[in-house]
Amino acid sequence: MSVQQIMNSRRSVRHYDPDYKISADKLAAIIETASKSPNGNNVQATRYLIIDDPELRAALLPVAYHQQQVVEASALIVMLGDYRAFEEDNIKHIHEQGYQAGYYDETLIDVLAHAAIQYYANKSAEELKLELTRDVSLASMSLVMLAKEAGLDTITMSGYDSGKLKEVLNISDRYLDVMLIAIGKGIKDGHPTVRHPVERIMHRNAIM
Ligand SMILES: Cc1cc2nc3c(=O)[nH]c(=O)nc-3n(C[C@H](O)[C@H](O)[C@H](O)COP(=O)(O)O)c2cc1C
């Protein structure tokens, strides 16, 4: 399937075969490729928390306002951003790895790492949250498309109580929860949806 075919045929699917299990390898392969998504300064802040424990899934059902995909999909993925990715040790480590791989020469490591460290050091809490939201959202879309290519269905979800989710899963403030993604074998097609005509959404040079 081409990217265009994937984009045109994907739907948010809300009904899943509860007996279908995605293999750990298949899920890991999808996540590994999704991790190639663009991300700010390549700090690689996105974390994919797979919830496949039935008890945890049952506990999350009311947290997500009883949306059945939470328990019926093969896996539920909590898409998280890790605030620690902005810290100096992570940024230096990634630049060192890039150097070891031969992607840039020695003179550039310190300059690039320093620029990235400073970029985040000067940001407010709100700006850092936006940085994580951008990175995690791009990775989420990649995951959705890769799942479709692999013959799986998904739904991205923000319909849940963030505080309660973090409490049930014991997620600390180190992480920002950006969205949930349910993934599995759909048993009922997602309903078709409309989109604005391109003239309404595409603007040139200015927008009112
Ligand atoms: C960030 C985000 C959060 C969403 N949250 C929910 C949700 O909690 N429950 C739900 O049924 N659909 C949810 N959706 C799915 C949207 O309703 C759906 O993408 C939209 O209606 C367009 O339909 P389509 O994805 O089938 O093209 C969410 C989508 C996005 C991008």
Coordinates of all heavy atoms in Angstrom, one line a residue, residues 2 12 20 34 43 64 80-81 89 93 104 111 136 141 148 157 166 176 180 201 203 205:
S2 N 0.5 2.2 -0.9 CA 1.3 3.5 -0.9 C 0.8 4.3 0.3 O -0.2 4.1 0.9 CB 1.0 4.2 -2.2 OG -0.3 4.7 -2.2
S12 N -10.7 5.5 12.0 CA -10.6 5.2 13.4 C -11.6 4.1 13.7 O -12.8 4.2 13.4 CB -11.0 6.5 14.2 OG -10.0 7.5 14.1
Y20 N -7.9 -11.5 19.3 CA -6.7 -11.4 18.4 C -5.6 -10.8 19.2 O -5.7 -9.8 20.0 CB -7.0 -10.4 17.2 CG -5.8 -10.2 16.4 CD1 -5.4 -11.1 15.4 CD2 -5.1 -9.0 16.5 CE1 -4.3 -10.9 14.7 CE2 -3.9 -8.8 15.8 CZ -3.5 -9.7 14.9 OH -2.4 -9.5 14.1
A34 N 8.4 3.5 13.8 CA 7.8 4.8 14.2 C 8.8 5.7 14.9 O 8.7 7.0 14.8 CB 6.6 4.6 15.2
V43 N 16.1 14.4 20.2 CA 16.3 14.0 21.6 C 15.6 12.7 21.9 O 15.7 12.1 23.0 CB 15.9 15.1 22.6 CG1 16.8 16.3 22.4 CG2 14.5 15.5 22.5
A64 N -11.3 5.9 30.7 CA -11.5 6.3 29.3 C -13.0 6.3 29.0 O -13.4 6.1 27.9 CB -10.7 5.4 28.4
L80 N 3.7 8.6 25.4 CA 4.2 9.5 26.4 C 5.4 10.3 25.9 O 6.1 9.8 25.0 CB 4.7 8.6 27.6 CG 3.7 7.8 28.4 CD1 4.4 6.8 29.2 CD2 2.8 8.7 29.2
G81 N 5.6 11.4 26.5 CA 6.8 12.2 26.3 C 7.6 12.2 27.5 O 7.0 12.4 28.6
D89 N 22.6 15.0 29.8 CA 23.2 13.7 29.6 C 22.6 13.0 28.4 O 23.4 12.4 27.6 CB 23.2 12.9 30.9 CG 21.8 12.6 31.4 OD1 20.9 13.4 30.9 OD2 21.6 11.7 32.2
H93 N 24.7 12.2 25.0 CA 24.8 10.8 24.6 C 24.4 10.6 23.1 O 25.1 9.9 22.4 CB 23.9 10.0 25.5 CG 23.8 8.5 25.2 ND1 24.9 7.7 25.3 CD2 22.8 7.8 24.6 CE1 24.5 6.5 24.8 NE2 23.3 6.5 24.4
Y104 N 28.8 12.9 11.8 CA 29.4 14.2 11.7 C 30.8 14.1 12.4 O 31.0 13.2 13.1 CB 28.5 15.3 12.3 CG 27.8 15.0 13.5 CD1 28.4 14.9 14.8 CD2 26.4 14.7 13.5 CE1 27.7 14.6 15.9 CE2 25.7 14.4 14.6 CZ 26.3 14.3 15.8 OH 25.6 14.0 16.9
V111 N 29.4 21.6 19.6 CA 28.6 22.8 19.1 C 27.2 22.4 19.0 O 26.3 23.1 19.5 CB 29.1 23.2 17.7 CG1 28.3 24.4 17.2 CG2 30.6 23.6 17.8
V136 N 5.6 13.6 20.2 CA 4.8 12.4 20.4 C 3.7 12.2 19.4 O 3.4 11.1 18.9 CB 4.3 12.3 21.8 CG1 3.4 11.1 22.1 CG2 5.4 12.3 22.9
M141 N 1.3 9.4 14.7 CA 0.7 9.3 13.3 C 1.5 8.2 12.6 O 0.9 7.4 11.8 CB 0.8 10.6 12.6 CG 0.1 10.6 11.3 SD -1.7 10.2 11.4 CE -2.0 9.6 9.7
K148 N -1.6 0.3 9.9 CA -2.5 0.0 8.8 C -1.7 -0.8 7.7 O -2.3 -1.7 7.1 CB -2.9 1.4 8.2 CG -3.9 1.3 7.1 CD -5.2 0.9 7.5 CE -6.1 0.8 6.3 NZ -7.4 0.0 6.6
M157 N -6.7 8.3 20.8 CA -7.8 8.7 21.8 C -7.2 9.7 22.8 O -6.2 9.5 23.4 CB -8.2 7.5 22.6 CG -8.8 6.4 21.8 SD -9.0 4.9 22.9 CE -10.1 5.4 24.1
K166 N -2.8 8.3 35.0 CA -1.4 8.3 35.6 C -1.4 7.6 37.0 O -0.5 7.0 37.4 CB -0.9 9.8 35.7 CG -0.5 10.3 34.3 CD 0.0 11.7 34.4 CE 1.5 11.7 34.1 NZ 2.1 13.0 34.0
L176 N 4.8 13.1 30.1 CA 3.5 13.7 29.7 C 2.8 12.7 28.8 O 3.3 12.2 27.9 CB 3.9 14.9 28.8 CG 2.7 15.6 28.1 CD1 1.9 16.4 29.1 CD2 3.2 16.6 27.0
L180 N -3.8 8.1 23.8 CA -3.8 6.6 23.8 C -4.0 6.2 22.4 O -4.6 6.9 21.6 CB -5.0 6.1 24.7 CG -5.1 6.6 26.1 CD1 -6.4 6.0 26.7 CD2 -3.9 6.1 26.9
I201 N -8.8 24.9 3.7 CA -7.7 24.7 4.7 C -6.3 25.1 4.2 O -5.4 25.2 5.0 CB -7.7 23.2 5.1 CG1 -7.5 22.2 3.9 CG2 -8.9 22.8 5.9 CD1 -7.2 20.8 4.3
H203 N -3.9 27.9 2.8 CA -3.8 29.3 2.6 C -2.4 29.7 2.1 O -1.5 28.9 2.3 CB -4.0 30.0 4.0 CG -5.4 29.6 4.6 ND1 -6.5 30.4 4.5 CD2 -5.8 28.5 5.2 CE1 -7.5 29.8 5.1 NE2 -7.1 28.6 5.5
N205 N 0.5 32.6 2.3 CA 1.2 33.8 2.8 C 0.4 34.5 3.9 O 1.1 35.3 4.6 CB 1.4 34.8 1.6 CG 2.3 34.2 0.6 OD1 3.3 33.5 0.9 ND2 2.1 34.5 -0.7

